[in-house]
Amino acid sequence: MRGTRKYQHVIETPDPGKWELAGYEESLPISEKSNPITRELDKSDPSQLVQLLRDCDAEIFQEEDANLIHYHRLYSESVLQTMGDIAKRVQEVLKDPEGGLVVLSGCGTSGRLALLLANSFNLLLKGQHRAPRYCYIMSGGDRSIVSAQESPEDDPHVGAQELEKVCEGKKNVVFVGISCGLSAPFIAGQLDLCMRHLDVYLPVLVGCNPVSMARNDPIEGWHSSFRQVAERLQALHESHKGFILNPAVGPEAVSGSSRMKGGSATKILLETLLLVAHKADSNVPVTEKCLLEILRTYERAHKVTYSQSKKIAALMKQTATSLQKGHLYILGWGTLGLVGIMAAVECGPTFQADWRDVRGFVTGGYDSIENKEGDLSSLGPEFPISHEDFVRNVLPSVSETDAVLLIFTLDDELNQIEKLAALVKEKTSNIQCISHATAGQYLPNSLKKTIPSIIGMTWPILFLEYEGTFIQKFQRELSTKWILDTVTSGAYALRGKIFRNFMVDFKITNSKLFHRAASVLQRVTGQSQQRCTEVLLQSIYGEQTLSEQIRNRTIAGHVGAAASQDKVLPVAIVSLLRNCAVQEARSRVDSSASIRAAIESSLNVPGRKRGAEEGSGSEGRSR
Ligand code: F6P
C-alpha cells in the first residue's frame, strides 16, 4: 500500500520495490543492490529493455512508503527542507560579490555533471550581467571529461588540494561534493577539508544512499572512511553548518551503474535547488511550492521522453547491431553534445568498450563546453571532440556498419545540421536523430527527408517567466541523458555484456570497482567472500597459486595489476562456477559468443551445485 501520496504524480510511479524490504541484499548500499525490476534485463528484447529502464527511472519520483523501511525520497519533507536550506545559503553566496563561490565537485559522471551545472548557472548569471560564481572540480582533471579516469577517485589528498586551489582568497564557499554511492575518497577528502574550515566553507554532500550505507572500508593512507566523514557531516546538519542531500532513488537498472539514476537524480536535485536559489535571489522566498513546481517539470520530462519508447527501442537495436563490428558516433549541439560525451565515455569503464566504439562530439568543441583547461585536442586521438574534428578525422572511415546519431533542438542551426547529415549519409544509411522542439515548432521537411529516423520530442511552453528557458534546457538535457543511458546500456545488454542485471565486464580501475567485482562474483556464484577474493586475485594475476607477496598487497596494488587486464571478472566467475583453473576459464570466456553466454553455460554445467544464494535475491559482500 502506498504511503502518504501527497502530490499528484505526473507519471504513474511504480509500487515500492522489493529492494526496500528489510533483508533484501542487506549488506549492500542501495546504489549497489540489484534492482528487482531488472532481474531479467539480460534476457529482454529492445522493447522490454526500454520498458524496464523506464520503470527504473520512474523510481526516482516515487514517494516514501510509511509501511516499509523508512527511506527518504525525492519528495520527502526532510529532503525538500534540506534543498530549501541549501538554496538559502547559495543565495547568500550570490549576494557576496567578492568572496562568494559555489564549487561543484565529483568523479566520473558526477564530475561531468558538475561541469555541466556550473556552466548552466554561470550562463544564467551572465544573462543578468553578473559575474560567474560557480566552478567545478572533477577527479583526474579536465581530461576526465572525454576519457574515463577512474583511479584519481581514490585520492582524498588530491581532492582537498584541488579544492583549496579553486577557493584561494574566497571567504564564503558553498562546496557541493557529489558521490552518488557516498563512496568516493576524492570527495571525502574535500568534505573533510571543509569541516576543518567551517568559517569559510559550507560542506554539502549529494548522493543516493543513507549515511548508514556510506562506504565504510578504510581509505588507504588516510584517517577516515567515507562513512566516518559523512557521519561527521550529519552531526552538523542541525546547526546548519553542513548538509547531506541523499534521497533514495532505488537501485540502478544495471547494478552499481551510478551514471544512470544516480546521475539523473543529481541533476534534478541540484538544478532544482540552484534555480530556486536564483529565484530567491530576485527576492522571491524559498518555499516548498517553488521546489515542487520545478521537480514536477522533471517528472513531466520522464513522461515525454518515454512516450517515444518504440523509437528508443529501435535506436537501441540499431546501436547493438552497429557495435558488433562498427561504432556509434553521437554528434550533439550545445550542451546536448556534452550529454552525448558523458554517455559515450562511460561505455569504457562499464562495458570494457574501446574508446573508439562509442564517441561523442559537440559543436564548437572545447570552446563550447568551457572547461578550465581549454583545448585538450593535442592530448591524443580520443581528445578532439568538435564536429569539425569528426568530419576531418572520423567521417572518412565511416561505413555502413557504423551508426551516427545527431542530437539538437529546433533552435539550433538547422542548415548546418542538414549539411552534416547529408555528409554522413554519403557514408552510412544508419543515421538517426533526437530533436527537441517547443510546442508550435516543426522540423523542416528537407531535414525529415535527409534523416527519416527521428525521435522527436515536443516540450510544452513554460509560463515561468524568469527560469522558464533554463527549465526547458534542463528537461531536454535530462531527456537526452535518459535516452542515451537506455540506448547504450540496452545495446550492451543485447551484446551480452550484462548477466542478469549485473555489469560483468567492467574495468577494475579503482577500489570501489574492486569491491564491486568481488560482490558481483559472490552474488553470481554464491561462494564465500574469502573464496571469491581468492579467485578474483587469481584472475587478476593469471596465477593459480598466489604468492605471499601478492596476498600481502594493498587493494591499490591489486587495482594497479588489474588495470592492464581484460575480462578479469568474467574469468573469475567462470573459474568459480566450473571449479577450473583461471587459464581454462580464460580460454572458455575467449571462445564464447559473449560474456553472458560464457557465464550462462557455466551455470548449466551438469552436476554443478547451485550456490545457496544464487538467484535468490540475497547478497554477498559485507563491507
Ligand atoms: O568508479 C567509476 C564510477 O562508477 C563512474 O561510473 C561514476 O560516474 C563515478 O564512479 C562516480 O560515482 P559516485 O558518484 O558514486 O562517486
Side-chain angles (χ1 to χ4, degrees):
M1 206 180 80
R2 188 159 284 290
T4 47
R5 256 216 180 247
K6 262 198 210 158
Y7 315 104
Q8 208 192 348
H9 287 274
V10 178
I11 48 168
E12 196 42 50
T13 57
D15 282 330
K18 213 168 98 188
W19 63 267
E20 290 193 64
L21 298 172
Y24 182 82
E25 299 192 333
E26 208 171 8
S27 64
L28 293 171
I30 298 171
S31 59
E32 295 285 335
K33 289 184 198 291
S34 65
N35 198 317
I37 296 177
T38 53
R39 296 228 97 183
E40 308 251 299
L41 197 75
D42 59 340
K43 298 195 185 97
S44 307
D45 65 26
S47 318
Q48 292 163 334
L49 277 161
V50 177
Q51 254 182 47
L52 296 175
L53 294 170
R54 177 200 64 193
D55 292 349
C56 259
D57 284 331
E59 284 185 318
I60 295 174
F61 303 101
Q62 203 173 66
E63 285 179 50
E64 67 183 51
D65 191 312
N67 300 315
L68 292 174
I69 291 181
H70 195 67
Y71 285 127
H72 298 299
R73 312 298 296 248
L74 184 65
Y75 287 121
S76 297
E77 235 149 79
S78 59
V79 170
L80 295 171
Q81 177 72 46
T82 306
M83 286 171 82
D85 289 339
I86 301 167
K88 285 178 198 152
R89 300 298 295 273
V90 170
Q91 188 185 3
E92 284 168 25
V93 166
L94 294 174
K95 284 185 176 147
D96 180 348
E98 299 289 298
L101 187 68
V102 181
V103 181
L104 306 168
S105 178
C107 311
T109 296
S110 301
R112 292 175 204 109
L113 283 168
L115 161 68
L116 184 68
L117 265 82
N119 285 350
S120 292
F121 286 93
N122 280 335
L123 184 71
L124 199 152
L125 286 168
K126 196 174 170 187
Q128 301 169 326
H129 310 287
R130 296 169 68 190
R133 278 276 177 288
Y134 291 87
C135 78
Y136 69 92
I137 301 175
M138 55 186 311
S139 61
D142 275 5
R143 59 187 303 135
S144 313
I145 300 168
V146 284
S147 155
Q149 311 283 324
E150 317 291 345
S151 56
E153 231 174 277
D154 276 345
D155 198 331
H157 305 283
V158 174
Q161 283 159 17
E162 293 287 313
L163 180 58
E164 266 182 320
K165 230 193 283 169
V166 300
C167 294
E168 220 182 298
K170 298 291 172 193
K171 296 192 175 63
N172 189 5
V173 177
V174 172
F175 168 75
V176 181
I178 310 162
S179 182
C180 302
L182 265 62
S183 60
F186 186 85
I187 300 298
Q190 296 177 326
L191 292 169
D192 175 70
L193 172 79
C194 296
M195 286 190 279
R196 285 187 283 112
H197 301 281
L198 289 171
D199 51 326
V200 175
Y201 297 100
L202 174 79
V204 176
L205 167 61
V206 175
C208 300
N209 282 323
V211 170
S212 60
M213 291 183 174
R215 196 173 152 192
N216 206 26
D217 54 323
I219 296 175
E220 280 172 30
W222 208 54
H223 48 74
S224 307
S225 68
F226 196 105
R227 190 180 302 171
Q228 286 167 328
V229 171
E231 282 167 352
R232 270 166 60 208
L233 184 55
Q234 197 170 37
L236 298 175
H237 201 112
E238 214 152 281
S239 57
H240 285 199
K241 290 195 171 130
F243 294 100
I244 304 184
L245 186 56
N246 58 339
V249 294
E252 296 290 349
V254 178
S255 313
S257 187
S258 60
R259 71 161 177 146
M260 301 177 82
K261 279 160 84 170
S264 304
T266 300
K267 192 165 159 29
I268 294 169
L269 285 166
L270 288 175
E271 286 169 353
T272 302
L273 84 83
L274 293 175
L275 262 183
V276 167
H278 280 261
K279 202 171 162 152
D281 193 36
S282 32
N283 293 328
V284 180
V286 174
T287 60
E288 200 174 86
K289 188 170 164 277
C290 297
L291 292 164
L292 286 173
E293 204 170 51
I294 300 172
L295 288 175
R296 290 169 67 80
T297 64
Y298 291 101
E299 256 197 72
R300 235 170 268 137
H302 181 280
K303 196 170 179 178
V304 171
T305 305
Y306 285 104
S307 68
Q308 300 290 322
S309 288
K310 252 192 183 159
K311 290 183 175 176
I312 299 172
L315 176 60
M316 179 193 291
K317 195 171 170 199
Q318 174 59 55
T319 303
T321 309
S322 294
L323 289 178
Q324 263 173 40
K325 288 204 177 97
H327 313 88
L328 169 67
Y329 301 112
I330 305 170
L331 274 65
W333 272 257
T335 51
L336 301 180
L338 182 55
V339 176
I341 290 173
M342 279 165 49
V345 178
E346 283 291 329
C347 293
T350 318
F351 303 112
Q352 288 268 13
D354 185 86
W355 64 267
R356 295 171 197 85
D357 294 348
V358 184
R359 289 185 72 182
F361 296 87
V362 55
T363 33
Y366 291 97
D367 276 353
S368 80
I369 59 175
E370 295 184 80
N371 57 311
K372 287 189 279 201
E373 295 169 32
D375 192 342
L376 305 178
S377 307
S378 61
L379 290 184
E382 66 184 295
F383 289 93
I385 51 163
S386 71
H387 288 181
E388 288 74 20
D389 293 322
F390 170 77
V391 171
R392 195 178 324 115
N393 307 336
V394 182
L395 191 60
S397 57
V398 167
S399 71
E400 254 330 287
T401 49
D402 300 317
V404 178
L405 174 65
L406 308 184
I407 309 175
F408 53 86
T409 76
L410 293 197
D411 298 320
D412 290 313
E413 293 277 344
L414 298 182
N415 279 345
Q416 252 188 37
I417 294 165
E418 214 171 309
K419 268 190 206 152
L420 189 53
L423 283 178
V424 170
K425 269 190 89 177
E426 287 171 19
K427 296 288 191 172
T428 177
S429 56
N430 295 321
I431 175 165
Q432 320 221 16
C433 80
I434 302 172
S435 89
H436 295 278
T438 307
Q441 277 183 320
Y442 299 97
L443 258 179
N445 279 336
S446 52
L447 195 60
K448 277 197 221 157
K449 257 196 214 150
T450 320
I451 315 173
S453 312
I454 296 174
I455 301 180
M457 228 70 74
T458 303
W459 299 96
I461 300 169
L462 288 172
F463 295 102
L464 297 163
E465 3 106 38
Y466 163 71
E467 71 277 26
T469 6
F470 279 86
I471 292 182
Q472 199 163 65
K473 167 179 139 72
F474 296 155
Q475 282 182 319
R476 291 167 178 193
E477 288 168 358
L478 182 59
S479 167
T480 304
K481 179 181 181 299
W482 270 325
I483 296 175
L484 295 180
D485 286 350
T486 296
V487 165
T488 51
S489 301
Y492 279 106
L494 293 169
R495 303 276 309 114
K497 289 281 193 173
I498 288 173
F499 177 70
R500 294 189 196 129
N501 53 9
F502 298 120
M503 52 168 100
V504 277
D505 194 17
F506 57 91
K507 286 188 185 142
I508 301 176
T509 39
N510 63 33
S511 57
K512 174 180 78 181
L513 297 171
F514 179 87
H515 289 302
R516 184 179 298 160
S519 161
V520 170
L521 194 50
Q522 257 188 288
R523 284 182 279 173
V524 173
T525 65
Q527 301 274 348
S528 72
Q529 186 177 13
Q530 195 191 358
R531 178 90 182 105
C532 288
T533 309
E534 169 101 5
V535 176
L536 189 63
L537 295 183
Q538 287 171 351
S539 178
I540 290 174
Y541 294 97
E543 288 170 25
Q544 205 56 29
T545 314
L546 298 171
S547 66
E548 269 316 292
Q549 194 206 0
I550 287 180
R551 287 178 195 280
N552 291 337
R553 281 193 189 160
T554 58
I555 304 272
H558 299 320
V559 168
S564 56
Q565 302 289 333
D566 67 345
K567 301 180 188 164
V568 167
L569 179 56
V571 166
I573 295 174
V574 169
S575 166
L576 261 174
L577 289 177
R578 290 182 176 265
N579 200 14
C580 69
V582 286
Q583 285 80 1
E584 182 190 327
R586 183 164 284 278
S587 66
R588 286 188 182 275
V589 171
D590 285 342
S591 59
S592 269
S594 71
I595 301 288
R596 184 183 171 275
I599 298 173
E600 189 73 33
S601 67
S602 302
L603 271 171
N604 296 328
V605 169
R608 201 190 76 78
K609 273 201 214 140
R610 259 175 86 82
E613 294 176 332
E614 219 173 281
S616 66
S618 59
E619 84 301 334
R621 170 170 72 99
S622 63
R623 284 165 188 266

